[in-house]
Amino acid sequence: MKPLTLIGFMGVGKTTVGKALSQKLGKPLIDTDQEIVKYEGRSIPEIFADSGEAYFRKVESSILEDQMDKDLIISTGGGIVTNERSREYLKNFFHNFWLDASLEVVEKRISDDEERPLWKVKREARIELFNKRRKLYEAVADHRISVDHLEVNELVEEISKLYL
Ligand code: S3P
């Protein structure tokens, strides 16, 4: 069985849904952001500021590569799909669930978050990022789950049914 990944934009609930799914399916959860922070010994804003986004993406991709043949659930960072190598890994070795939220819901959930460097930009840039990313999620997703009107337990039910 391929590992189950949750992909999607910042703030769609990947970590929350990942935790609930991990309980329901009795499989361990790996959060790529947490793994990066652990491996690097510094926060995400520090990594972005001192080493840049390209470096962050490289570490993110190696962490994904390490999970390839494991029986677990992976909650990914929203930008993982911007890296070509990561997209190839996702497409070939993972079962990908795209948690898709509307821009309005994302904006309500994350407002001005200091922990997300790529959200600390003008609104027009946020919208552009949101739209650009949707195409990338779509390119690797095995399933798209619209999250705006579903509770966490409903999302978990739906994902479990599709993860056969
Ligand atoms: C990012 C999303 C973040 C984190 C980093 C970059 C992005 O993860 O990986 O700030 O480029 O969308 P979340 O999706 O968990 O916020």
Side-chain angles (χ1 to χ4, degrees), residues 118-150:
L118 294 183
W119 195 245
K120 286 173 72 181
V121 291
K122 292 214 174 83
R123 183 152 193 267
E124 300 86 81
R126 289 177 176 176
I127 296 171
E128 197 184 321
L129 185 71
F130 181 83
N131 290 328
K132 227 195 301 177
R133 289 273 180 87
R134 291 194 89 245
K135 298 187 186 82
L136 298 175
Y137 301 131
E138 192 169 21
V140 301
D142 295 295
H143 310 278
R144 183 180 76 89
I145 316 279
S146 191
V147 305
D148 281 7
H149 307 291
L150 293 180

Side-chain angles (χ1 to χ4, degrees), residues 81-142:
V81 290
T82 61
N83 179 284
E84 199 182 340
R85 198 165 71 125
S86 296
R87 281 203 303 279
E88 284 307 308
Y89 291 152
L90 286 167
K91 267 195 256 173
N92 294 310
F93 302 106
F94 297 87
H95 193 150
N96 307 304
F97 289 80
W98 170 22
L99 302 187
D100 186 22
S102 63
L103 180 65
E104 292 67 35
V105 165
V106 167
E107 285 183 315
K108 229 183 271 166
R109 287 197 193 164
I110 54 180
S111 58
D112 289 319
D113 187 338
E114 291 297 315
E115 288 301 309
R116 291 175 164 113
L118 294 183
W119 195 245
K120 286 173 72 181
V121 291
K122 292 214 174 83
R123 183 152 193 267
E124 300 86 81
R126 289 177 176 176
I127 296 171
E128 197 184 321
L129 185 71
F130 181 83
N131 290 328
K132 227 195 301 177
R133 289 273 180 87
R134 291 194 89 245
K135 298 187 186 82
L136 298 175
Y137 301 131
E138 192 169 21
V140 301
D142 295 295

Side-chain angles (χ1 to χ4, degrees), residues 34-67:
Q34 277 174 20
E35 293 300 308
I36 295 168
V37 168
K38 227 193 293 170
Y39 174 79
E40 288 287 316
R42 46 192 181 144
S43 71
I44 292 177
E46 278 168 347
I47 302 169
F48 268 74
D50 301 340
S51 308
E53 182 179 352
Y55 176 79
F56 180 88
R57 298 295 169 215
K58 248 191 247 169
V59 178
E60 191 174 47
S61 196
S62 325
I63 284 165
L64 184 65
E65 184 180 9
D66 288 344
Q67 316 309 324

Side-chain angles (χ1 to χ4, degrees), residues 141-160:
D142 295 295
H143 310 278
R144 183 180 76 89
I145 316 279
S146 191
V147 305
D148 281 7
H149 307 291
L150 293 180
E151 301 291 334
V152 173
N153 62 318
E154 294 172 307
L155 290 168
V156 166
E157 276 308 310
E158 194 165 337
I159 294 169
S160 317

